[in-house]
Amino acid sequence: MTTPSDHAVPAPPSRIGFGTAMWKEIVHLLSNLPVSLVAFVYVTVAVAVGAALSVTVVGLPLLACGLAGMRLMGRVERSRARALLGTRMEEPSRLPVPPRGGLAARVWALLRDPVAWRAALFGFIRLPWGVLTFAVTLVALVALWPALPYLVRAMANLDRVMVRGLLGPSDELERRVAELESDRGVVVDTAAADLRRIERDLHDGAQARLVALAMGLGLAKEKAGEDPEAAARMVDEAHGEVKLALQELRDLARGIHPAVLTDRGLDAALSSVASRCTVPVTVTVDLPERPAEATEGIAYFTVSELLQNVSKHAGARSASVDVWRTEEYLLIQVTDDGHGGADPAAGSGLAGLSERLGAVDGLFVVDSPPGGPTTVTAELPWRSRAAVRP
């Protein structure tokens, strides 16, 4: 297992001399020529063909495939440097996969991949260096035997610098920008889906009832003079419709942001959600203070959706909700004794929860073996309510 110090400090070069390290460096320098020749041809052909065909529908996908191969080429070079030069180096972060957008989004992500483009630059400029190292090493092996260790070490050190500079991990800021761009897409898509849901609920629910109410009151008004009893019945029916419309509006408002959460916090709000679950739920909230409103809202809706899944799909007899805080995180754990088998990869609501939590740097873990029990753990970065108030 590697440690941060392993990545921060490169392996110190061994003492210059005729030893195992020198012979490994010689193998690396002699193999530079065939490896760099293959890389140069691949990069040149891939970039040239992709650029030439970019005016067609196949050009950009071909270039994206070429860049994916350049990522693989960079991985091979890093492995060669580790094995023969003793270079300690992390692998760059994996290419972020767009949560939505299909093939076009994946192609665009590859075309913007800085790791692949740096590997392409490495492959393009390495051919002259490969020729030089092969020639100098070969001549030194034959005619410059006393100077061989020094020449080999000097060229190997330059190789180490090139590998670390062009094939090392991307800058942390660069990685975070890529992650945040992906997370921003998730947040925008989620907000749009929520707006569509609210619009649909208003249109199909409260709006339809209010339209029926207006028509009923209009008929009652017409009947008031001719048949007061019929008009009174219509008014009673309209009164019932008003109650139902108000209840639907309250439910909708609770779905947007429940009043009990604003007024009394997570403990009371989650207890209210648990009381509507079809199985007995034990709620334990241990928070020294209330988190920021956004964090509190995400925690509430996460537990609410998980308990809905327990009611609909788990076949459980009981469940529990635990919420607590560590130094930097708000932790949520929902457990049930149902039949298990929950899988976020199956395209269920769990996948949507995972995306939403990931968009705010959260973590979502599902442990649900067949036969149960199911334990879902969510982790949110803690932000204090007092810290975000103006």
PDB file of all heavy atoms in Angstrom, residues 7 46 50 56 68 75 85-86 93-95 107 131 175 185 225 231 255 257 276 287 318 326 357 368 387 389:
ATOM      1  N   HIS A   7       4.487   9.239  -2.790  1.00  0.00           N
ATOM      2  CA  HIS A   7       4.197   9.984  -4.014  1.00  0.00           C
ATOM      3  C   HIS A   7       4.902  11.338  -4.026  1.00  0.00           C
ATOM      4  O   HIS A   7       5.216  11.869  -5.072  1.00  0.00           O
ATOM      5  CB  HIS A   7       2.684  10.189  -4.138  1.00  0.00           C
ATOM      6  CG  HIS A   7       1.919   8.916  -3.986  1.00  0.00           C
ATOM      7  ND1 HIS A   7       2.270   7.746  -4.603  1.00  0.00           N
ATOM      8  CD2 HIS A   7       0.811   8.636  -3.256  1.00  0.00           C
ATOM      9  CE1 HIS A   7       1.403   6.783  -4.285  1.00  0.00           C
ATOM     10  NE2 HIS A   7       0.541   7.299  -3.466  1.00  0.00           N
ATOM     11  N   ALA A  46      -2.877   8.657 -35.683  1.00  0.00           N
ATOM     12  CA  ALA A  46      -4.156   8.894 -35.002  1.00  0.00           C
ATOM     13  C   ALA A  46      -4.574  10.353 -35.093  1.00  0.00           C
ATOM     14  O   ALA A  46      -5.732  10.668 -35.414  1.00  0.00           O
ATOM     15  CB  ALA A  46      -4.055   8.454 -33.541  1.00  0.00           C
ATOM     16  N   GLY A  50      -7.599  11.586 -37.543  1.00  0.00           N
ATOM     17  CA  GLY A  50      -8.723  12.199 -36.833  1.00  0.00           C
ATOM     18  C   GLY A  50      -8.949  13.637 -37.250  1.00  0.00           C
ATOM     19  O   GLY A  50     -10.087  14.065 -37.456  1.00  0.00           O
ATOM     20  N   THR A  56     -16.092  15.186 -41.073  1.00  0.00           N
ATOM     21  CA  THR A  56     -17.120  14.153 -41.249  1.00  0.00           C
ATOM     22  C   THR A  56     -17.590  13.681 -39.884  1.00  0.00           C
ATOM     23  O   THR A  56     -17.031  14.024 -38.848  1.00  0.00           O
ATOM     24  CB  THR A  56     -16.564  12.970 -42.054  1.00  0.00           C
ATOM     25  OG1 THR A  56     -15.584  12.289 -41.258  1.00  0.00           O
ATOM     26  CG2 THR A  56     -15.910  13.438 -43.344  1.00  0.00           C
ATOM     27  N   ALA A  68      -7.911   7.670 -26.482  1.00  0.00           N
ATOM     28  CA  ALA A  68      -8.035   6.602 -25.489  1.00  0.00           C
ATOM     29  C   ALA A  68      -6.832   5.674 -25.559  1.00  0.00           C
ATOM     30  O   ALA A  68      -6.301   5.225 -24.533  1.00  0.00           O
ATOM     31  CB  ALA A  68      -9.337   5.827 -25.714  1.00  0.00           C
ATOM     32  N   ARG A  75       0.122   4.725 -19.836  1.00  0.00           N
ATOM     33  CA  ARG A  75       0.168   3.759 -18.741  1.00  0.00           C
ATOM     34  C   ARG A  75       1.318   2.773 -18.930  1.00  0.00           C
ATOM     35  O   ARG A  75       2.016   2.419 -17.979  1.00  0.00           O
ATOM     36  CB  ARG A  75      -1.168   3.012 -18.658  1.00  0.00           C
ATOM     37  CG  ARG A  75      -1.264   2.077 -17.461  1.00  0.00           C
ATOM     38  CD  ARG A  75      -2.576   1.311 -17.485  1.00  0.00           C
ATOM     39  NE  ARG A  75      -3.713   2.205 -17.589  1.00  0.00           N
ATOM     40  CZ  ARG A  75      -4.959   1.798 -17.844  1.00  0.00           C
ATOM     41  NH1 ARG A  75      -5.194   0.507 -18.060  1.00  0.00           N
ATOM     42  NH2 ARG A  75      -5.947   2.663 -17.904  1.00  0.00           N
ATOM     43  N   LEU A  85      13.422   2.154 -14.140  1.00  0.00           N
ATOM     44  CA  LEU A  85      14.058   3.350 -13.589  1.00  0.00           C
ATOM     45  C   LEU A  85      13.778   3.544 -12.107  1.00  0.00           C
ATOM     46  O   LEU A  85      14.322   4.460 -11.489  1.00  0.00           O
ATOM     47  CB  LEU A  85      13.593   4.600 -14.355  1.00  0.00           C
ATOM     48  CG  LEU A  85      13.919   4.644 -15.859  1.00  0.00           C
ATOM     49  CD1 LEU A  85      13.410   5.943 -16.465  1.00  0.00           C
ATOM     50  CD2 LEU A  85      15.412   4.480 -16.096  1.00  0.00           C
ATOM     51  N   GLY A  86      12.877   2.731 -11.547  1.00  0.00           N
ATOM     52  CA  GLY A  86      12.542   2.871 -10.130  1.00  0.00           C
ATOM     53  C   GLY A  86      11.790   4.138  -9.815  1.00  0.00           C
ATOM     54  O   GLY A  86      11.822   4.640  -8.685  1.00  0.00           O
ATOM     55  N   SER A  93      -5.738  10.433 -12.538  1.00  0.00           N
ATOM     56  CA  SER A  93      -7.132  10.123 -12.231  1.00  0.00           C
ATOM     57  C   SER A  93      -7.828   9.577 -13.466  1.00  0.00           C
ATOM     58  O   SER A  93      -7.500   9.931 -14.605  1.00  0.00           O
ATOM     59  CB  SER A  93      -7.859  11.383 -11.746  1.00  0.00           C
ATOM     60  OG  SER A  93      -7.769  12.420 -12.705  1.00  0.00           O
ATOM     61  N   ARG A  94      -8.798   8.691 -13.230  1.00  0.00           N
ATOM     62  CA  ARG A  94      -9.544   8.101 -14.332  1.00  0.00           C
ATOM     63  C   ARG A  94     -10.374   9.158 -15.037  1.00  0.00           C
ATOM     64  O   ARG A  94     -10.787  10.161 -14.437  1.00  0.00           O
ATOM     65  CB  ARG A  94     -10.456   6.990 -13.820  1.00  0.00           C
ATOM     66  CG  ARG A  94      -9.701   5.826 -13.202  1.00  0.00           C
ATOM     67  CD  ARG A  94     -10.649   4.780 -12.678  1.00  0.00           C
ATOM     68  NE  ARG A  94     -11.460   4.222 -13.750  1.00  0.00           N
ATOM     69  CZ  ARG A  94     -12.428   3.329 -13.556  1.00  0.00           C
ATOM     70  NH1 ARG A  94     -12.707   2.916 -12.341  1.00  0.00           N
ATOM     71  NH2 ARG A  94     -13.118   2.864 -14.575  1.00  0.00           N
ATOM     72  N   LEU A  95     -10.617   8.922 -16.311  1.00  0.00           N
ATOM     73  CA  LEU A  95     -11.425   9.863 -17.088  1.00  0.00           C
ATOM     74  C   LEU A  95     -12.834   9.885 -16.514  1.00  0.00           C
ATOM     75  O   LEU A  95     -13.476   8.833 -16.414  1.00  0.00           O
ATOM     76  CB  LEU A  95     -11.459   9.421 -18.556  1.00  0.00           C
ATOM     77  CG  LEU A  95     -12.195  10.350 -19.521  1.00  0.00           C
ATOM     78  CD1 LEU A  95     -11.415  11.638 -19.699  1.00  0.00           C
ATOM     79  CD2 LEU A  95     -12.392   9.664 -20.869  1.00  0.00           C
ATOM     80  N   VAL A 107     -17.409  10.984 -26.137  1.00  0.00           N
ATOM     81  CA  VAL A 107     -16.444  11.443 -27.134  1.00  0.00           C
ATOM     82  C   VAL A 107     -15.902  12.816 -26.745  1.00  0.00           C
ATOM     83  O   VAL A 107     -14.687  13.071 -26.806  1.00  0.00           O
ATOM     84  CB  VAL A 107     -17.097  11.479 -28.530  1.00  0.00           C
ATOM     85  CG1 VAL A 107     -16.213  12.229 -29.523  1.00  0.00           C
ATOM     86  CG2 VAL A 107     -17.362  10.061 -29.030  1.00  0.00           C
ATOM     87  N   VAL A 131      16.223   7.822 -30.357  1.00  0.00           N
ATOM     88  CA  VAL A 131      17.368   7.589 -31.248  1.00  0.00           C
ATOM     89  C   VAL A 131      18.670   7.962 -30.542  1.00  0.00           C
ATOM     90  O   VAL A 131      19.679   7.225 -30.593  1.00  0.00           O
ATOM     91  CB  VAL A 131      17.204   8.403 -32.549  1.00  0.00           C
ATOM     92  CG1 VAL A 131      18.465   8.311 -33.397  1.00  0.00           C
ATOM     93  CG2 VAL A 131      15.989   7.913 -33.331  1.00  0.00           C
ATOM     94  N   ARG A 175      -7.945  18.180 -11.962  1.00  0.00           N
ATOM     95  CA  ARG A 175      -8.837  17.055 -11.676  1.00  0.00           C
ATOM     96  C   ARG A 175     -10.147  17.532 -11.054  1.00  0.00           C
ATOM     97  O   ARG A 175     -11.228  17.077 -11.407  1.00  0.00           O
ATOM     98  CB  ARG A 175      -8.142  16.075 -10.722  1.00  0.00           C
ATOM     99  CG  ARG A 175      -8.946  14.820 -10.430  1.00  0.00           C
ATOM    100  CD  ARG A 175      -8.233  13.943  -9.425  1.00  0.00           C
ATOM    101  NE  ARG A 175      -8.115  14.596  -8.130  1.00  0.00           N
ATOM    102  CZ  ARG A 175      -9.098  14.619  -7.234  1.00  0.00           C
ATOM    103  NH1 ARG A 175     -10.261  14.036  -7.493  1.00  0.00           N
ATOM    104  NH2 ARG A 175      -8.935  15.229  -6.073  1.00  0.00           N
ATOM    105  N   GLY A 185     -23.359  19.239 -14.189  1.00  0.00           N
ATOM    106  CA  GLY A 185     -24.354  18.651 -15.080  1.00  0.00           C
ATOM    107  C   GLY A 185     -25.390  17.853 -14.318  1.00  0.00           C
ATOM    108  O   GLY A 185     -26.591  17.911 -14.626  1.00  0.00           O
ATOM    109  N   GLY A 225     -80.982  30.105  -7.484  1.00  0.00           N
ATOM    110  CA  GLY A 225     -82.338  30.659  -7.538  1.00  0.00           C
ATOM    111  C   GLY A 225     -83.394  29.618  -7.849  1.00  0.00           C
ATOM    112  O   GLY A 225     -84.509  29.668  -7.308  1.00  0.00           O
ATOM    113  N   ALA A 231     -78.218  23.398  -5.163  1.00  0.00           N
ATOM    114  CA  ALA A 231     -77.090  24.326  -5.056  1.00  0.00           C
ATOM    115  C   ALA A 231     -76.302  24.086  -3.779  1.00  0.00           C
ATOM    116  O   ALA A 231     -75.069  24.127  -3.766  1.00  0.00           O
ATOM    117  CB  ALA A 231     -77.592  25.774  -5.117  1.00  0.00           C
ATOM    118  N   GLY A 255     -43.032  18.196  -0.209  1.00  0.00           N
ATOM    119  CA  GLY A 255     -42.055  17.607  -1.125  1.00  0.00           C
ATOM    120  C   GLY A 255     -41.003  18.591  -1.560  1.00  0.00           C
ATOM    121  O   GLY A 255     -39.876  18.198  -1.899  1.00  0.00           O
ATOM    122  N   HIS A 257     -40.013  21.529   0.379  1.00  0.00           N
ATOM    123  CA  HIS A 257     -39.260  21.735   1.616  1.00  0.00           C
ATOM    124  C   HIS A 257     -40.265  21.729   2.766  1.00  0.00           C
ATOM    125  O   HIS A 257     -41.046  22.666   2.916  1.00  0.00           O
ATOM    126  CB  HIS A 257     -38.493  23.056   1.593  1.00  0.00           C
ATOM    127  CG  HIS A 257     -37.446  23.123   2.655  1.00  0.00           C
ATOM    128  ND1 HIS A 257     -36.190  22.583   2.499  1.00  0.00           N
ATOM    129  CD2 HIS A 257     -37.472  23.629   3.917  1.00  0.00           C
ATOM    130  CE1 HIS A 257     -35.485  22.770   3.596  1.00  0.00           C
ATOM    131  NE2 HIS A 257     -36.235  23.409   4.472  1.00  0.00           N
ATOM    132  N   ARG A 276     -44.826   7.768   8.513  1.00  0.00           N
ATOM    133  CA  ARG A 276     -45.606   7.452   7.317  1.00  0.00           C
ATOM    134  C   ARG A 276     -45.114   6.186   6.627  1.00  0.00           C
ATOM    135  O   ARG A 276     -45.683   5.761   5.629  1.00  0.00           O
ATOM    136  CB  ARG A 276     -45.540   8.626   6.328  1.00  0.00           C
ATOM    137  CG  ARG A 276     -46.132   9.920   6.883  1.00  0.00           C
ATOM    138  CD  ARG A 276     -46.369  10.950   5.782  1.00  0.00           C
ATOM    139  NE  ARG A 276     -45.138  11.384   5.140  1.00  0.00           N
ATOM    140  CZ  ARG A 276     -44.388  12.409   5.566  1.00  0.00           C
ATOM    141  NH1 ARG A 276     -44.752  13.074   6.664  1.00  0.00           N
ATOM    142  NH2 ARG A 276     -43.289  12.757   4.936  1.00  0.00           N
ATOM    143  N   LEU A 287     -26.925  15.081  16.724  1.00  0.00           N
ATOM    144  CA  LEU A 287     -26.227  16.215  16.131  1.00  0.00           C
ATOM    145  C   LEU A 287     -26.080  17.308  17.179  1.00  0.00           C
ATOM    146  O   LEU A 287     -27.081  17.733  17.779  1.00  0.00           O
ATOM    147  CB  LEU A 287     -26.991  16.759  14.924  1.00  0.00           C
ATOM    148  CG  LEU A 287     -27.147  15.818  13.718  1.00  0.00           C
ATOM    149  CD1 LEU A 287     -28.000  16.484  12.648  1.00  0.00           C
ATOM    150  CD2 LEU A 287     -25.787  15.442  13.144  1.00  0.00           C
ATOM    151  N   SER A 318     -38.980  -4.252   9.903  1.00  0.00           N
ATOM    152  CA  SER A 318     -38.564  -3.097  10.699  1.00  0.00           C
ATOM    153  C   SER A 318     -37.403  -2.408   9.997  1.00  0.00           C
ATOM    154  O   SER A 318     -36.751  -2.994   9.126  1.00  0.00           O
ATOM    155  CB  SER A 318     -38.146  -3.520  12.114  1.00  0.00           C
ATOM    156  OG  SER A 318     -37.012  -4.367  12.052  1.00  0.00           O
ATOM    157  N   THR A 326     -19.404  13.331  12.314  1.00  0.00           N
ATOM    158  CA  THR A 326     -17.994  13.243  12.657  1.00  0.00           C
ATOM    159  C   THR A 326     -17.415  14.645  12.539  1.00  0.00           C
ATOM    160  O   THR A 326     -18.161  15.620  12.430  1.00  0.00           O
ATOM    161  CB  THR A 326     -17.270  12.260  11.723  1.00  0.00           C
ATOM    162  OG1 THR A 326     -17.359  12.741  10.373  1.00  0.00           O
ATOM    163  CG2 THR A 326     -17.876  10.864  11.804  1.00  0.00           C
ATOM    164  N   LEU A 357     -25.804  12.888  -4.360  1.00  0.00           N
ATOM    165  CA  LEU A 357     -24.821  13.035  -3.294  1.00  0.00           C
ATOM    166  C   LEU A 357     -23.426  13.272  -3.862  1.00  0.00           C
ATOM    167  O   LEU A 357     -22.644  14.051  -3.317  1.00  0.00           O
ATOM    168  CB  LEU A 357     -24.829  11.798  -2.404  1.00  0.00           C
ATOM    169  CG  LEU A 357     -26.068  11.636  -1.517  1.00  0.00           C
ATOM    170  CD1 LEU A 357     -26.063  10.288  -0.831  1.00  0.00           C
ATOM    171  CD2 LEU A 357     -26.142  12.735  -0.483  1.00  0.00           C
ATOM    172  N   SER A 368     -26.251  -4.634   0.331  1.00  0.00           N
ATOM    173  CA  SER A 368     -27.541  -5.328   0.306  1.00  0.00           C
ATOM    174  C   SER A 368     -27.387  -6.722  -0.288  1.00  0.00           C
ATOM    175  O   SER A 368     -27.760  -6.964  -1.438  1.00  0.00           O
ATOM    176  CB  SER A 368     -28.559  -4.503  -0.496  1.00  0.00           C
ATOM    177  OG  SER A 368     -29.826  -5.110  -0.491  1.00  0.00           O
ATOM    178  N   ALA A 387     -22.130  29.138   9.979  1.00  0.00           N
ATOM    179  CA  ALA A 387     -21.030  29.558   9.102  1.00  0.00           C
ATOM    180  C   ALA A 387     -21.507  30.105   7.788  1.00  0.00           C
ATOM    181  O   ALA A 387     -20.791  30.845   7.119  1.00  0.00           O
ATOM    182  CB  ALA A 387     -20.097  28.380   8.865  1.00  0.00           C
ATOM    183  N   ARG A 389     -24.533  31.736   7.300  1.00  0.00           N
ATOM    184  CA  ARG A 389     -25.443  32.874   7.416  1.00  0.00           C
ATOM    185  C   ARG A 389     -24.683  34.191   7.252  1.00  0.00           C
ATOM    186  O   ARG A 389     -23.551  34.326   7.715  1.00  0.00           O
ATOM    187  CB  ARG A 389     -26.118  32.855   8.801  1.00  0.00           C
ATOM    188  CG  ARG A 389     -27.217  31.801   8.906  1.00  0.00           C
ATOM    189  CD  ARG A 389     -27.888  31.828  10.249  1.00  0.00           C
ATOM    190  NE  ARG A 389     -28.977  30.879  10.326  1.00  0.00           N
ATOM    191  CZ  ARG A 389     -29.639  30.577  11.425  1.00  0.00           C
ATOM    192  NH1 ARG A 389     -29.324  31.170  12.562  1.00  0.00           N
ATOM    193  NH2 ARG A 389     -30.623  29.690  11.414  1.00  0.00           N
TER     194      ARG A 389
END
